Amino acid sequence: NVPREPAPHPAILYLQGLRGRSCEHPLDPAATLGRLVDGWTDAGLLVLRVERSGVGDSEGPPCSVTGLDEELDGYLAGIDHLLSRTDVDPRRVFLFGQSFGAMTAPLLAMERPLAGLLVYGASGARWHDCVVDTTRRQRRLAGIAEARVEAEVALWAELHGLVCREGWTPALAFEKRPHLRTLRSLDCVGETLWGRHVSLYQQLDAIDLFSVWAAVGRAGTPVLVARGEFDWICTRDEGDAIVRATGASARYEELARTGHDWLAYESLEASRVWGEGRWNGGVVRATQTFTSPQPSGNTQP
């Protein structure tokens, strides 16, 4: 997506969430991602989206069999493409990472020169800890009794521990630990969790992301850690922890009444109905402010 303004343009690469879905949405004018991309383009940003291996028009093996290295290689190719374009200002190439994409953003920043990182709905915790904590939070928000919540979380914590830290697959866990079979579903089957191969989680869980964020900070790369007030996937404490690890080049911004899906809701409880909120463009405005040159010639903060 290329803005109408004269080149060279600042550019932003979108790093999507976990699921292996297309990030194109060409036929749905109401798609939230489409609105975000259109908003960025209207604000003067050239926007690049990269389909994962085997998704949409992308060639290669399906992302249900690929790991973290392949994930990062695809995005690095996207960054290189932006840096090589004659209509892009190579000094103003940014990353926007949502949720899982916020975990890959600092890893990519260690590989290429970037003008800044904007992450939304972000956690810097180890994958195992992050997913167990959000499971507990979501089950409580659903109104489930505390004793049942803790029983369910204990099962998920055991499964994620076996997968992330022992190298097991869900199939092996269900074979060896029959009490875990209640967790089996289309999202948790064979060698996959949420449609992604277990090697992805194993590789990610082995990385101390806070150390990576600290390195981003030492490099002086500007970072905006944004979060919606009604985000029930990641907490403000998780965002603040990234800012502390990164240091002076990072700041935190909370978008009022906004959910993990960038839409505005009347309450935290209402935001549980995914995609039913109202588009208010808050993420676009935060991005535009962050990527705009300051009097010093740098970006925010």
Side-chain angles (χ1 to χ4, degrees), residues 239-261:
D240 285 338
I242 293 175
V243 172
R244 289 195 301 272
T246 307
S249 69
R251 66 179 177 90
Y252 177 89
E253 180 175 346
E254 188 155 289
L255 306 185
R257 313 185 73 82
T258 306
H260 194 71
D261 56 1

Side-chain angles (χ1 to χ4, degrees), residues 70-191:
E70 291 87 351
E71 183 95 359
L72 297 177
D73 285 346
Y75 288 133
L76 287 172
I79 295 172
D80 290 340
H81 172 72
L82 289 175
L83 292 171
S84 70
R85 289 179 64 114
T86 59
D87 59 351
V88 167
D89 182 348
R91 300 165 301 175
R92 297 182 64 199
V93 173
F94 300 86
L95 301 183
F96 178 93
Q98 178 201 17
S99 195
F100 174 80
M103 292 179 153
T104 60
L107 301 174
L108 296 167
M110 292 292 92
E111 301 293 332
R112 296 292 187 274
L114 296 166
L117 308 181
L118 194 162
V119 293
Y120 184 89
S123 175
R126 301 274 182 173
W127 176 260
H128 170 278
D129 301 335
C130 174
V131 74
V132 170
D133 286 347
T134 194
T135 299
R136 177 180 289 107
R137 186 161 51 251
Q138 292 177 46
R139 301 305 281 165
R140 285 173 175 168
L141 185 61
I144 296 173
E146 187 65 20
R148 182 181 167 193
V149 167
E150 289 306 320
E152 291 183 7
V153 169
L155 293 176
W156 280 111
E158 182 179 354
L159 178 64
H160 289 304
L162 293 170
V163 168
C164 293
R165 296 171 181 176
E166 301 298 328
W168 291 27
T169 64
L172 181 60
F174 298 148
E175 176 187 347
K176 299 292 186 181
R177 307 279 177 92
H179 63 283
L180 295 178
R181 291 175 185 169
T182 58
L183 304 179
R184 183 161 44 197
S185 70
L186 292 177
D187 283 335
C188 181
V189 65
E191 297 183 351

